[in-house]
Amino acid sequence: QWSVDAYTVAMASLLMLGVVLFVVPTAARTPVPDGTPTRLLTALRQDPRFVLLLLTVVAADTAYRFAYSAVPWQLDALGAAPWIYGTTISLNCALIVLFEPWLAHRLRERAPERLIALGFLLVGLGWVVVAPSPGIAVVLVAVALVTAGEMLYKPTATAHASDRAPEGMHGRYQSLYGATSIGGTVIAPPLAGALFELSPRLMWLC
């Protein structure tokens, strides 16, 4: 039996479909320069740095998604009340709303690959700080660090994927990037669960 939430999501999706079909203008066709690849695999073979970006995003997004599986398990093991996990997610959202537009404006002229790498580094550092001595305050600090990394790499990598696309392949490059990013959502929960069962400290280090 569907809940009210499910009906709401379904109606919102149908509404967006109508907007795309009847409101969003069709993009004008542009001529493709000679030598531009027309097949995705050919384009990827010619752009190994983009392939590397996709592989690293799978790893980074898997680590980032530990916030939705490993963090609540760790807090529960520490005896924290459920509202504390809610606070950690609210902290993540509040930091993004407050600082991501400002960061995007300040860093718009910087080399994207360096920003992406720095974002990956902050995500890794965020979880590493939990490993030696897990605690509620430590988890909050970790989430703040991971959020800083997210603000650096996620919007930058998304735009960079589109920027690297050959003419006429922007949609396919964006879809491929989106698929690799969502891959982290698929991998993180079972991976975090298997590692947490072995050792919470090992999980955070991995």
Side-chain angles (χ1 to χ4, degrees):
Q1 184 177 359
W2 281 25
S3 67
V4 174
D5 286 345
Y7 281 115
T8 304
V9 171
M11 293 304 297
S13 299
L14 290 174
L15 178 62
M16 287 305 300
L17 174 63
V19 169
V20 170
L21 289 177
F22 301 109
V23 179
V24 176
T26 303
R29 292 187 177 274
T30 56
V32 177
D34 292 337
T36 301
T38 57
R39 294 181 178 275
L40 182 60
L41 289 178
T42 303
L44 294 177
R45 280 196 293 267
Q46 294 177 6
D47 193 0
R49 292 180 74 87
F50 179 65
V51 176
L52 178 62
L53 173 67
L54 295 178
L55 294 174
T56 55
V57 163
V58 172
D61 266 37
T62 298
Y64 165 71
R65 308 286 179 180
F66 273 36
Y68 304 112
S69 50
V71 168
W73 298 336
Q74 183 68 75
L75 290 173
D76 184 63
L78 293 169
W83 68 266
I84 294 179
Y85 174 64
T87 301
T88 65
I89 298 302
S90 296
L91 173 65
N92 169 265
C93 298
L95 289 173
I96 290 171
V97 169
L98 290 173
F99 295 109
E100 188 164 299
W102 176 80
L103 268 178
H105 179 71
R106 290 294 299 270
L107 302 176
R108 67 188 185 280
E109 302 297 334
R110 302 294 178 90
E113 289 176 342
R114 291 184 179 181
L115 293 177
I116 294 166
L118 179 58
F120 290 168
L121 177 64
L122 287 173
V123 172
L125 286 175
W127 295 144
V128 164
V129 302
V130 183
S133 180
I136 293 173
V138 174
V139 170
L140 289 173
V141 170
V143 168
L145 281 171
V146 170
T147 301
E150 175 193 3
M151 287 190 289
L152 286 176
Y153 91 81
K154 273 188 173 291
T156 308
T158 304
H160 190 49
S162 180
D163 290 342
R164 294 194 72 89
E167 190 63 47
M169 285 199 182
H170 294 87
R172 277 175 279 184
Y173 264 52
Q174 286 283 281
S175 296
L176 193 55
Y177 175 84
T180 57
S181 178
I182 292 300
T185 308
V186 177
I187 299 168
L191 178 62
L195 292 171
F196 191 81
E197 189 174 18
L198 289 174
S199 165
R201 180 172 296 179
L202 173 66
M203 178 191 68
W204 294 121
L205 289 174
C206 288

